[in-house]
Structure formats: C-alpha cells, structure tokens
Amino acid sequence: MSNGFRITQLAAVTARFVTYDWAFPRENAAAIAAHWQTRIARAPGMFDGTVLLCCDHAVADRAARLDLFATRYATFTYYRDTRHADARIADARIANAFAAIVPWTSDGAVLLGEMGARTANAGQIYFPCGTPDPDDIQGARVDLAGSAARELAEETGLALPDEAETDWVLLEGEGQLAFLRPVRFPETAARLVARIADHLGAEAEPELAGMHVVRGRDDIDAARMPGFVRAYLADAFPPAR
C-alpha cells in the first residue's frame, strides 16, 4: 500500500466488453447535463463521446481480469467529480480503469506529461493515458495494451521499443484501476524530451504543454500529480538513505 493505493505486480491483463445496466445515468440525468455545461464553459473543446468504465474485476495469480461497459463521457465526469463528495452515489462496482505506458529512460528517469490548457485536466502531470473508448474494442475483447501504446504515440510521438517489457503494475484506489506498463527506452531523458518537443511543436493543438522528468522523490509534485502517479513514483524511487 502506498499513499492509499494498493500496488500489485501483474504478468497479464485481460479485459472484455460487456453490456451493463447502470442506473446512475437515468437517475441523475438533469445533474449530469448541468455539470457538463459547467465543464464545457471552462473548456469548450471537450467532447461528450463514449468511454468505457469497469463494472467488475478480479486479480489472481499475477493476472487481472476486468469487464468494461460503455457510457457517455459527461456521465463519467459527473460520477468521478461527485462520488467522493456525495457517498450516496458511490458504487463500489464502478471504477475508472485505464492503461498507461510509464516511459523509463536509459539514465534512470521517468517521463510524465503536463496536460495542455485546452484539456479537461489542464496543468495536471501524469503518464500519457486516456479512458478506454470504442476504438479499443476488438470483438468481445478490450485491448488495454493497444490503448496505452496509442495514447503514448498520440501525445508524445513515441513508439514502443521492439523489446518492450510486458509486465504491468496495478494501482488501485480512489475509484481508479490504473494499469501501468513500465517500459525502458534506449535513450536518455534529455534525448526523449527533445524528441517529444519536436512532436508537440508540429501539432496544431497538442494535448501536452510539455514534459516533466522525475529522477527521485524530490521531483514528485504533490499538487499537480494525481494520487496514482504519486503512489507509483514513491514506490519506484525508495527514500534516500
């Protein structure tokens, strides 16, 4: 346990797409609509598309299995933003499950992105990731590994090395299931940051404002890094002796 998050080392993660009758959107339709209007007033570029949330999961023998169902992004953001403030709407079965690549550099650093001003989480610092969506559905399966690799490529321009590690780390807490895949890149932090800067400079509307390099616990930003990020970094970088 680190910073309130349970940390589990995994060798495999499998996810399937299921139909799930979630009463929450019907029971809170007016509040969801009002909340969404408030959010898009602050960030007009936000889009109310379809995302996938988790309604069931299990972990055994270093393998995780989860069921994901479809809902609207507006519903998800209202549930996420209010579940901690209003215990009456919290549903232990529903979790925000997502996957992310954790880029480790050849000189022992971890790279994180700072979200740009036009995004829903402007100013926050975390690993390139996103809530799974219908693009990740392949038949009855949801490809979380593909989702993580796609988000990394879209946000940073980086492709996974040919011999990328395949193990996962699950961070479970705060209504989240963060499936993190640490991958070592063969380049230094300075070189990777320069490559990513070139990618961001070529984009009309990049998602990231820039990159942050973490080499130890002193680089953890408690104000701008979400809980799962702080928990992973605190576990990955032991205290100095």
Side-chain angles (χ1 to χ4, degrees):
M1 187 77 70
S2 179
N3 294 344
F5 279 78
R6 179 187 304 154
I7 302 177
T8 307
Q9 305 292 325
L10 300 173
V13 177
T14 58
R16 63 177 183 172
F17 180 66
V18 300
T19 299
Y20 182 72
D21 183 22
W22 193 24
F24 180 79
R26 298 190 297 273
E27 296 172 352
N28 298 275
I32 291 168
H35 181 262
W36 181 250
Q37 290 305 312
T38 300
R39 288 186 63 84
I40 61 174
R42 298 195 304 263
M46 291 175 59
F47 174 64
D48 184 19
T50 299
V51 296
L52 307 182
L53 296 183
C54 179
C55 59
D56 188 35
H57 78 283
V59 177
D61 299 325
R62 298 191 69 231
R65 173 200 58 77
L66 56 159
D67 291 344
L68 302 177
F69 70 99
T71 192
R72 304 299 299 178
Y73 185 62
T75 301
F76 160 58
T77 57
Y78 177 73
Y79 182 75
R80 180 193 63 191
D81 293 349
T82 58
R83 67 184 299 274
H84 296 295
D86 188 349
R88 294 171 299 176
I89 72 169
D91 186 337
R93 294 166 297 179
I94 306 301
N96 175 20
F98 56 91
I101 303 297
V102 179
W104 281 86
T105 70
S106 63
D107 52 345
V110 173
L111 301 186
L112 300 97
E114 178 180 335
M115 299 306 295
R118 73 177 186 86
T119 65
N121 300 310
Q124 290 193 24
I125 300 168
Y126 49 86
F127 312 116
C129 64
T131 303
D133 62 39
D135 288 341
D136 301 313
I137 299 173
Q138 298 182 354
R141 186 174 70 93
V142 180
D143 184 8
L144 290 181
S147 174
R150 185 189 72 242
E151 291 289 341
L152 178 74
E154 290 177 355
E155 295 185 18
T156 68
L158 299 181
L160 295 180
D162 291 337
E163 302 299 324
E165 296 87 340
T166 58
D167 284 352
W168 297 83
V169 181
L170 168 60
L171 281 292
E172 185 174 359
E174 297 182 357
Q176 295 177 321
L177 299 172
F179 292 92
L180 307 183
R181 182 182 169 190
V183 172
R184 180 82 59 175
F185 285 77
E187 295 157 287
T188 64
R191 176 58 184 149
L192 286 173
V193 168
R195 283 180 55 193
I196 295 169
D198 289 342
H199 171 78
L200 298 179
E203 296 228 302
E205 294 184 331
E207 286 193 56
L208 301 181
M211 301 302 294
H212 288 252
V213 179
V214 173
R215 297 186 181 276
R217 291 192 171 199
D218 289 345
D219 296 322
I220 297 175
D221 188 330
R224 295 198 290 164
M225 292 179 181
F228 78 92
V229 172
R230 301 195 308 272
Y232 174 82
L233 295 174
D235 186 67
F237 293 102
R241 293 183 179 179

